[in-house]
Amino acid sequence: MKTKIKTLAILTLFMLGFFNFPIYVSAADTDIVISEIGAYETSDHEWLEIFNKGAEQVDLTNWKFYEDQTNHRLSAWQNDLIIDPGEYAVMANKADLFKQKYPDFTGTIIDSSWSSLREDGEEIALKNASGETIEDFTYLPCPDTSLQRVDLNLNDYTTANWQVHASGNSAGRANEFPSTPPTEPPPDNPPPDNPPPDKPPPDEPPPPDNPPPDNPPPLKLQKSNTKIISSGTLVINEFVSDPADGEVEWIELFNKNVFDIDLTGWKIIDGSGAETFLSGTIGSNFDNKFLVINSPKGKLNNSGDIIILKNKENNIIDAVSYGNWDSGFVEQNAPAAKDPNSTARIFDGAESFNNANDFIITQTPTKDEPNVITLLEEEKKKKEAEQEEKTTKIKEQIIINEIYPNPSGSDLENEWIELKNIGTEPLDLNGWQIQDNSKKKYKIIAKNFQSTIIAPNEFFTLTRKTSGLALNNDKDTVKLISPDDKTIQTVKYNEDEAVPENVSYAIDENNDFNWTTTPTQNQENIITKLNHEPVIDITCPKEALINETITCDASDSYDLEDDQLTFTWQIEEQTYDSVIIEHQFKTKGTFAINLIINDGQIEVKDTQKIKITDPNEKTASKKTATVKSASTKTKKSSSAKTIKSKAVFTTNLKEVRKLAKDTKVSTTGVVSVLPNTFGKTIMYLAGSGIQLYMSKANWPDLKIGDLVQINGTLGEAYGEARIKLANQSAIKILETQSPPEPKEIKISEIGEGLEGYLVKISGQLIEKNGQKFFVKDDTGEATVYLKQNAKINKNNFSEGDQLKITGIVSQNNELYQILPRSDEDIQKEIPIVSAEQTNIPANKTGQSILKYLIATAVFLALGLAIVLQKFRKPKA
């Protein structure tokens, strides 16, 4: 008994010992919080800042940003998706544009994609890799500057914990509030609080009791930390820092008040700390409202400086930094004027928190008079370009968002075209036009509507009854035309048969149009894709002999939604379920070849006829025909000489594409895709590539790299050029060469010019959908189609992988896609990780150890149960 108890005790202690090991708990996903929101930026430049407030790293791989009822992917753009403790990271709508605007930002930039963040606030959320919501709230309005979280540990989404930035934003760094102390250390020798009094210079008013030392340090203006007293009382209106020869520097003040101001005790300070004391009175806004200070103390630097106006209480009333002066906001500095020009406010007295917006260089200095802006030639061109860009941007705000051509009920009453404002500013649609395929136009006129103003993210619907535009149910073109008669957008739809009732053509989150069975007039689009029936394309011989093996190929069949297709062939009493089949007929006659294709929702069927003959009967028939025609042999032979054969063009592959369809051609090329890779009846040649097609599929023994000569007829299938070969004798192997090298391209280059080429692209796998991969690089997005015969294992790759893909550029109607030939054509790029990055993040380590401990506990529990069971057995 003691032995049993001892054994049981040892096992128990052994189990407990495992659980006394340190357990590393994974970093809580909830340590990631949204800390700042840049919804005020233009749509393409919008961003959010996130912060890791915890003590462990958090991996954002497969996380989602939720906005506008949509989950948006996150992908690393600058640095990785591992957010360190205390790290700020930026999630940008378009990472490249954020970096372009903030080139000095070196922190983590995460690329995402959304339509537009509402400046008046909307619901947003962060979801982790498991789909759990980490943070979900509706943010406050922030139309002019960023919205900042005050306490990063507090889940309060009211004004008590969120404030707008004083002048711009603090993306990628600690949030900035007016009460925040300056981030820069004080100068080494700051002016004493109570410096000894000094004698005033002659002919100047006495200085205040506490002047600064003789050599004060350079001044810097931190607007977010500067207390502005009586803002707008008096402003620096114009100045000359680089005067013409024989002239002096001067500074002009402007009084915007309706009362005079005594300037005794006031002063002007430049960046060196030199002070110019003022005296006298500046008149009201109605009389003598300007005051000019000639030759101020110190010297205004030509390249850049700061001018500060202080009242007698030593409070800053106005400050202007210009040129390259390091104000803390260099990008907001006013421009520095060169001899003999001045720097002037665009409008007298007008001010904001951005000198770059308030001031401009003028060729017409107006000392002691209202400002006259005469732009420099380069500035004029710049302003014109900005205006043109602004006009273009306004035009791009309005899009055709949804078209409803075949409603249930009356088309006259219920047809409509919906517009949407995707910009950040309201826009008046008065004067805009809509045109259909019949060239008929409708102009929007304000008097015909309650309002033609369309607010950001809002909709404007034109019904057929109002516009008189009748949309065709099978195909039509709708154009959006701006008031200056420029076509802004063209939307085409085309259906082989009529569009089903109650189906609309709507734009999705990727700016692509899709048929949807959920029309949403004056609401955000909901894409419930319309399912089309599969398109059958069968290649079978029309005639064959008894016992001859025929090949039927349906590999060119396709589904518009790219659903997985199943194939069922029915020939005589036999059934086949592959894409390409072979069959032998044992008796003569005419037979039906039936194919049924199913996309999981719709089943379609096609039937072809084939005539089977007896080769023995055919030989006998030929002998009889020879005897009967002997008497006319000479006549027919003579007649035959008059028949001329069609010309055969011998040329290179590049020139073949320029020839007319049905032209007989002879050319050479290198084999890039073998038969039966994409389909039994097709293969490809490299270089200026082209598809070869042979219905009988009796190809010679070919290898990739073989140089071949081919003779055939130029044709086309689904928009892609092909050369049709009659039989095996139409292709001749000349020599064997090395396999052709693919042409490395950017995704944006994919198109008609590279059709049939063997190419290589690099990019990130952003989506897998059936047999399709969607791959993105910095120039665009490509569709990669995995043909069934290529037998590529799509499970080897996951969304987010960086891939190098080799394949053929193939056209399928309007779509260009890359067709890889085998698993070897898709290579996953493994990032090179430095030694310091090879440490496993704490959260991942914790998860691994936790799994190990659970498994060990289960194992030991089973062992303990077995021992106890043995102890309970009665003695024999």
Side-chain angles (χ1 to χ4, degrees), residues 160-194:
N161 197 44
W162 286 83
Q163 295 181 20
V164 293
H165 193 281
S167 59
N169 65 69
S170 56
R173 60 184 187 271
N175 292 343
E176 300 165 348
F177 303 97
S179 58
T180 305
T183 56
E184 294 188 9
D188 294 335
N189 299 305
D193 292 336
N194 296 295

Side-chain angles (χ1 to χ4, degrees), residues 230-290:
S230 302
S231 176
T233 300
L234 199 62
V235 296
I236 299 162
N237 198 55
E238 186 178 4
F239 58 91
V240 169
S241 57
D242 184 13
D245 293 341
E247 300 292 329
V248 297
E249 296 176 353
W250 54 267
I251 300 169
E252 178 190 79
L253 305 182
F254 178 80
N255 183 8
K256 300 198 295 182
N257 295 284
V258 295
F259 50 84
D260 297 348
I261 297 175
D262 182 2
L263 296 179
T264 302
W266 289 53
K267 57 187 172 183
I268 293 283
I269 308 173
D270 68 5
S272 69
E275 298 180 339
T276 302
F277 293 96
L278 310 182
S279 62
T281 300
I282 186 170
S284 71
N285 192 28
F286 302 110
D287 183 36
N288 194 28
K289 53 194 171 188
F290 298 100

Side-chain angles (χ1 to χ4, degrees), residues 601-637:
Q601 300 180 59
I602 301 176
E603 184 176 275
V604 292
K605 180 179 179 180
D606 192 16
T607 300
Q608 291 199 4
K609 300 288 186 179
I610 184 169
K611 183 179 180 181
I612 304 300
T613 58
D614 187 334
N616 297 322
E617 291 181 2
K618 193 170 184 180
T619 301
S621 175
K622 280 184 178 180
K623 288 179 180 178
T624 304
T626 301
V627 173
K628 288 182 178 179
S629 63
S631 61
T632 58
K633 182 176 181 182
T634 304
K635 188 182 291 186
K636 286 192 175 181
S637 297

